[in-house]
Amino acid sequence: LAQADPAALATLALAAVPVVAGIAAGAGRGRESLKMERNFARDAKAFRTPTKPEEEEGKVRTAQKEAHNHCGERITAVAWRWKDDKRVFLLPVELINHARQMFHLSRDLLAAVTTLFLENPSPDGKVVTSFRQLCKLLRLKPCGRLYEEMSLAFAVLRMFTIQHQNLVLELDKQGGAKKTGDYTFGFIDSVAIVTHVRNEKTRKLEEIPLSKRQVEIQLSKYYHELLKTRSNSKDLLCNVPLVALEACHSLPRAQKVPAKNLVYYLAGRGRRARLRLETLVEVLGVHPRWPGEARKVCENILDALRNHRVLEYSTTGDLYDIVLTDKGSTTRIRKTTEEEK
């Protein structure tokens, strides 16, 4: 699988269509944050694939089986279930190894698509954008390799299924859950990449350059409804600061993904949290080789983000008070009143 052609694998989940449609409103660099459904932003297990050490330690169980994804398609899937979590996560066997590398980009793309939809909502939950616009929105330097990675990340996101996902169906006046339900859930139902357009002079289909290819994303029914759920001024959304994601992009690979995990988690928690060291390890998704190494690994990542002035933290024993800050902010940390166990 590691040697497989990403473009070939992506065709498992993406449709290439020779049509043209309008692109959603522009994505300027002046935007300060991306929108994300807050419960999935702070879900430390949603955008992760299990590792061998986690299986050996009994933290997760995996199996290969025939199953139906959230679109009702029958697939040969790798299924996994985390300890003390009723949900079962599914991905096709052909994509599981690539998901290990691409899940962080899949989540970024979901945040970008969510943002574009909320800025220009459509009744049917469709978002039309382009690779170029997505790069600009995520503050990534465009290149052919990145476009291919985006295609593969969309394929992973399109096929990703969560069984027994608890969803908020209705909010009370304070923004709390009033009604919930158990669903087989996925974020998007389809992704179509426009590859060719007809030249009206020659009447022939001509290939569109990668950077200009339009991407049509159909949100799933349930994710579409989640984004619309609100009560008075309360909704299920959070803001993911782009300066923090941009800081993550500049970090070494070993730190980039854990740092992103923390940024999304904190965004979903209202930008701040008090965490025990063992919980911080889980949120970051790191795997220290021995207990004494955990603090060093975690604080190296925290320090890297603090050096970019997008995060501040303080410690009291094994407790960490962490807050996302505006770049250059001298905001002092206020102790959080809610402790994450």
Side-chain angles (χ1 to χ4, degrees):
L1 282 175
Q3 301 301 318
D5 179 6
L9 284 173
T11 60
L12 290 166
L14 304 184
V17 294
V19 296
V20 174
I23 297 180
R29 191 174 173 81
R31 183 184 284 102
E32 295 181 353
S33 63
L34 299 179
K35 292 288 187 180
M36 186 73 168
E37 199 281 334
R38 68 174 186 241
N39 292 302
F40 283 111
R42 65 191 181 193
D43 191 334
K45 296 176 180 176
F47 292 91
R48 287 180 57 196
T49 51
T51 64
K52 285 291 184 182
E54 288 172 324
E55 291 184 57
E56 294 169 356
E57 294 168 10
K59 294 181 179 179
V60 64
R61 296 175 62 185
T62 64
Q64 183 172 316
K65 66 176 186 178
E66 296 296 313
H68 289 91
N69 67 8
H70 66 281
C71 292
E73 302 161 337
R74 190 168 181 82
I75 59 173
T76 301
V78 175
W80 65 96
R81 179 178 176 180
W82 298 99
K83 186 178 180 180
D84 300 324
D85 191 333
K86 70 175 183 177
R87 297 174 298 174
V88 177
F89 300 87
L90 302 173
L91 270 173
V93 294
E94 297 90 343
L95 289 174
I96 188 68
N97 284 343
H98 291 281
R100 301 184 199 283
Q101 305 297 321
M102 295 292 174
F103 245 153
H104 72 99
L105 182 56
S106 296
R107 181 174 50 192
D108 288 346
L109 290 171
L110 178 62
V113 169
T114 299
T115 302
L116 292 174
F117 170 76
L118 292 169
E119 290 179 350
N120 189 23
S122 61
D124 60 357
K126 179 177 285 188
V127 176
V128 181
T129 180
S130 69
F131 285 130
R132 177 179 290 176
Q133 185 183 34
L134 290 168
C135 287
K136 188 174 182 180
L137 187 58
L138 293 171
R139 299 185 181 178
L140 295 171
K141 185 177 180 179
C143 64
R145 179 179 178 180
L146 179 58
Y147 299 145
E148 291 180 356
E149 290 178 350
M150 283 183 165
S151 294
L152 189 54
F154 266 128
V156 170
L157 186 60
R158 151 77 172 87
M159 299 299 288
F160 184 41
T161 297
I162 310 174
Q163 296 176 334
H164 306 298
Q165 175 65 51
N166 191 55
L167 298 179
V168 176
L169 304 177
E170 187 178 344
L171 296 174
D172 59 26
K173 293 181 179 179
Q174 289 72 44
K178 185 177 181 180
K179 186 188 297 184
T180 64
D182 185 298
Y183 291 89
T184 296
F185 176 82
F187 293 99
I188 58 177
D189 284 349
S190 66
V191 181
I193 299 175
V194 182
T195 58
H196 294 74
V197 64
R198 188 173 67 188
N199 184 317
E200 295 302 331
K201 292 182 178 180
T202 64
R203 309 297 291 176
K204 294 182 179 180
L205 289 175
E206 296 181 354
E207 187 172 4
I208 303 171
L210 273 171
S211 63
K212 296 181 180 180
R213 289 184 181 178
Q214 295 180 16
V215 186
E216 300 177 4
I217 304 103
Q218 177 63 57
L219 302 180
S220 71
K221 173 185 175 182
Y222 297 129
Y223 190 61
H224 185 202
E225 291 179 354
L226 276 182
L227 299 184
K228 296 188 298 180
T229 300
R230 61 187 305 113
S231 176
N232 296 329
S233 62
K234 303 294 184 180
D235 56 33
L236 293 171
L237 304 172
C238 68
N239 294 309
V240 184
L242 275 165
V243 287
L245 287 182
E246 197 169 18
C248 295
H249 296 157
S250 68
L251 299 180
R253 170 75 192 186
Q255 292 185 334
K256 177 166 64 175
V257 176
K260 279 189 179 182
N261 292 341
L262 181 60
V263 167
Y264 277 98
Y265 178 85
L266 291 172
R269 291 285 304 275
R271 299 174 69 103
R272 63 177 67 242
R274 170 179 284 188
L275 304 175
R276 293 186 180 277
L277 178 59
E278 61 188 87
T279 306
L280 180 57
V281 168
E282 180 180 332
V283 169
L284 292 172
V286 294
H287 311 287
R289 291 166 294 179
W290 53 84
E293 189 185 35
R295 183 182 296 276
K296 180 180 179 181
V297 170
C298 292
E299 292 188 4
N300 281 345
I301 295 169
L302 293 175
D303 289 339
L305 289 173
R306 184 162 62 181
N307 289 341
H308 283 275
R309 296 178 293 161
V310 297
L311 177 147
E312 288 293 340
Y313 76 97
S314 65
T315 62
T316 305
D318 280 349
L319 285 176
Y320 287 76
D321 287 288
I322 313 171
V323 58
L324 288 176
T325 65
D326 296 324
K327 196 165 187 177
S329 171
T330 56
T331 303
R332 299 183 65 181
I333 297 177
R334 174 177 57 82
K335 296 288 186 180
T336 52
T337 57
E338 178 185 357
E339 179 180 320
E340 178 76 10
K341 298 294 186 182

